[in-house]
Amino acid sequence: MPGITAYAGISEVGSVKKGECVFISAASGAVGQLAGQFAKLLGCYVVGSAGSQEKVDLLKNKLGFDDAFNYKEELDLDAALKRYFPEGIDFYFEQVGGKMLDAVLLNMKVHGRIAICGMISQYNITHPEALENLLHIAFKRLTITGFTYRDHHHLYPNLLETVLPYIRENRVVYVEDIVEGLEKGPEALVGLFSGRNFGKQIVKVAGK
Amino acid sequence: MPGITAYAGISEVGSVKKGECVFISAASGAVGQLAGQFAKLLGCYVVGSAGSQEKVDLLKNKLGFDDAFNYKEELDLDAALKRYFPEGIDFYFEQVGGKMLDAVLLNMKVHGRIAICGMISQYNITHPEALENLLHIAFKRLTITGFTYRDHHHLYPNLLETVLPYIRENRVVYVEDIVEGLEKGPEALVGLFSGRNFGKQIVKVAGK
């Protein structure tokens, strides 16, 4: 599921092309880490955001992102994005919403595209955060597309054909976050919403 | 300019098709009245919102909309949209933003499209209104596209070819709001933001 989501977002929904500037939020998550690597394979400049220095290091050193930053340490997300994308963002892979989306809208290029597969920052709050910059959708003629892997099963053969050779060559890697024991399940679930996990959060109930 | 904007939004950005359910905000404005009539020519069910009973009557009786409502008299825009679109909206022509967009997001069909050429309710306020329903972009896999007529000049020959015969037959009509005298200019400009005008606001400085 993360594979198809990432592949659909980059290749079909976003129509990402060589040389474009790509930003990925929740970049160390199950989908984000693959989306970033797929964009790198296409020859893009790729920056990700994550919630700890450890994740930022992994994005840069293990997953091959051009750069990454810890959004929790940025007082001004707009300024952070301007640092990494001085000429703007062509494509944003959105998984966070709220203040991150608001800052991204300020930093999109004209005719930029945003693919939204989630907005995890908005799921557990009573009132969604107000966005100041929705007007930029009109000003910059942006295209925003919500999507889910469920509409893109037809891409599965393409995904395998394209990505399996890279996985065998270790040019695409995948990191999972495995906790042992069913009793850790609730904590692992809660951890998803505070960004504690790195990659797909798996609860291993029993060994083989 | 209103003609190209309306035509681009309906035919190219929205790819509106026969039989679809179309909602147009600021429907009695210069762009909205044409967008609604173009959607009707395509065989759509078209409802518009406007800010007075007089405008609602004109939309229904003179411009051929299937229905229209006065948004200022609706305490619950979500309920109003559910009344006119019990099965949801395929395409929304957005010119208003704020609470109207928020209510529309709740009422879009899965895979619905929104074309945004403006958000007039948000231009003159210090802080934009918070939207509660942006998550529906992901849930319903919506596509939202900002656009301006400036990107669609190539449609001009198509527009003339398609629409001129209908104008000659009086099947497409156009209403303008003309005030006389330059001294009325400021008042007319302010009126745009309170929705006082019907159709294109024109200040006639001198007769021929």
Side-chain angles (χ1 to χ4, degrees):
Chain A
M1 187 274 272
I4 278 284
T5 307
Y7 189 74
I10 294 291
S11 70
E12 195 154 276
V13 180
S15 298
V16 173
K17 289 173 286 292
K18 183 175 178 173
E20 289 195 314
C21 296
V22 173
F23 176 53
I24 296 177
S25 59
S28 71
V31 174
Q33 56 177 274
L34 288 175
Q37 291 180 87
F38 294 165
K40 282 305 304 171
L41 292 174
L42 286 170
C44 297
Y45 166 74
V46 180
V47 177
S49 64
S52 73
Q53 189 57 46
E54 184 194 2
K55 292 178 180 180
V56 165
D57 292 342
L58 274 161
L59 288 170
K60 292 201 282 189
N61 302 330
K62 189 177 172 73
L63 301 180
F65 281 55
D66 291 290
D67 224 323
F69 66 89
N70 179 351
Y71 71 90
K72 291 180 180 170
E73 289 191 344
E74 300 289 346
L75 294 177
D76 182 341
L77 289 171
D78 174 35
L81 290 170
K82 285 189 168 46
R83 205 162 66 230
Y84 294 102
F85 297 98
E87 293 178 14
I89 299 165
D90 291 293
F91 175 69
Y92 172 46
F93 198 108
E94 163 68 305
Q95 306 187 85
V96 165
K99 292 192 191 320
M100 183 63 90
L101 176 56
D102 215 24
V104 166
L105 287 169
L106 277 180
N107 286 281
M108 293 300 291
K109 289 186 190 175
V110 167
H111 292 139
R113 294 98 57 209
I114 297 176
I116 300 182
C117 70
M119 292 186 176
I120 199 164
S121 73
Q122 305 299 293
Y123 294 159
N124 292 326
I125 53 181
T126 313
H127 294 292
E129 293 172 277
L131 303 197
E132 301 267 330
N133 302 318
L134 286 175
L135 276 169
H136 286 258
I137 302 171
F139 295 161
K140 292 179 179 162
R141 295 96 92 188
L142 306 179
T143 297
I144 300 179
T145 312
F147 77 105
T148 161
Y149 72 98
R150 291 190 295 276
D151 290 335
H152 297 277
H153 284 305
H154 60 281
L155 294 176
Y156 202 66
N158 285 23
L159 168 67
L160 293 182
E161 190 182 339
T162 308
V163 177
L164 275 182
Y166 290 115
I167 292 177
R168 288 196 195 99
E169 293 170 20
N170 221 26
R171 287 180 61 194
V172 168
V173 295
Y174 193 62
V175 183
E176 291 174 333
D177 194 329
I178 301 174
V179 296
E180 303 253 354
L182 189 58
E183 69 280 7
K184 298 269 180 66
E187 190 186 335
L189 178 65
V190 170
L192 284 178
F193 297 100
S194 59
R196 209 184 302 149
N197 61 307
F198 190 102
K200 192 74 177 172
Q201 178 69 70
I202 291 170
V203 179
K204 188 175 177 183
V205 178
K208 275 188 187 172
Chain B
M1 187 273 271
I4 277 285
T5 308
Y7 189 73
I10 293 292
S11 69
E12 195 155 278
V13 180
S15 298
V16 173
K17 288 173 286 295
K18 184 176 178 171
E20 289 194 316
C21 296
V22 173
F23 176 52
I24 297 176
S25 59
S28 70
V31 174
Q33 57 177 272
L34 288 175
Q37 291 179 87
F38 294 165
K40 280 305 302 172
L41 291 174
L42 286 169
C44 296
Y45 167 74
V46 180
V47 176
S49 63
S52 73
Q53 188 56 45
E54 185 194 1
K55 291 178 180 180
V56 165
D57 290 343
L58 274 161
L59 287 170
K60 292 200 283 188
N61 301 330
K62 188 176 173 72
L63 302 179
F65 281 54
D66 291 292
D67 223 323
F69 65 90
N70 179 352
Y71 71 91
K72 291 181 180 169
E73 290 191 345
E74 298 290 344
L75 295 176
D76 182 341
L77 288 172
D78 174 36
L81 290 170
K82 284 189 169 46
R83 204 162 66 228
Y84 293 103
F85 297 98
E87 293 178 13
I89 299 165
D90 291 292
F91 175 70
Y92 172 45
F93 198 109
E94 162 69 305
Q95 306 187 83
V96 165
K99 291 192 192 319
M100 184 63 89
L101 176 56
D102 215 23
V104 166
L105 287 168
L106 276 179
N107 287 281
M108 293 300 292
K109 288 187 191 175
V110 168
H111 292 138
R113 295 99 58 210
I114 298 176
I116 300 183
C117 69
M119 291 186 176
I120 199 163
S121 74
Q122 306 298 293
Y123 295 158
N124 292 325
I125 52 180
T126 314
H127 294 292
E129 292 172 276
L131 301 198
E132 302 266 331
N133 302 318
L134 286 175
L135 276 169
H136 286 259
I137 302 171
F139 295 160
K140 292 180 180 160
R141 295 98 93 185
L142 305 179
T143 297
I144 301 179
T145 312
F147 77 105
T148 160
Y149 72 96
R150 291 189 296 276
D151 290 335
H152 298 277
H153 283 307
H154 60 282
L155 293 177
Y156 202 66
N158 285 23
L159 168 67
L160 293 182
E161 191 182 338
T162 309
V163 177
L164 275 182
Y166 289 116
I167 292 177
R168 288 195 195 102
E169 292 169 22
N170 222 24
R171 286 181 61 194
V172 167
V173 294
Y174 192 62
V175 182
E176 293 175 332
D177 194 329
I178 302 172
V179 296
E180 303 254 353
L182 189 57
E183 69 280 7
K184 298 270 180 65
E187 189 187 335
L189 179 65
V190 170
L192 284 178
F193 298 100
S194 59
R196 208 183 303 148
N197 61 307
F198 190 103
K200 192 74 174 172
Q201 178 69 71
I202 292 170
V203 179
K204 188 175 178 183
V205 178
K208 275 189 185 171

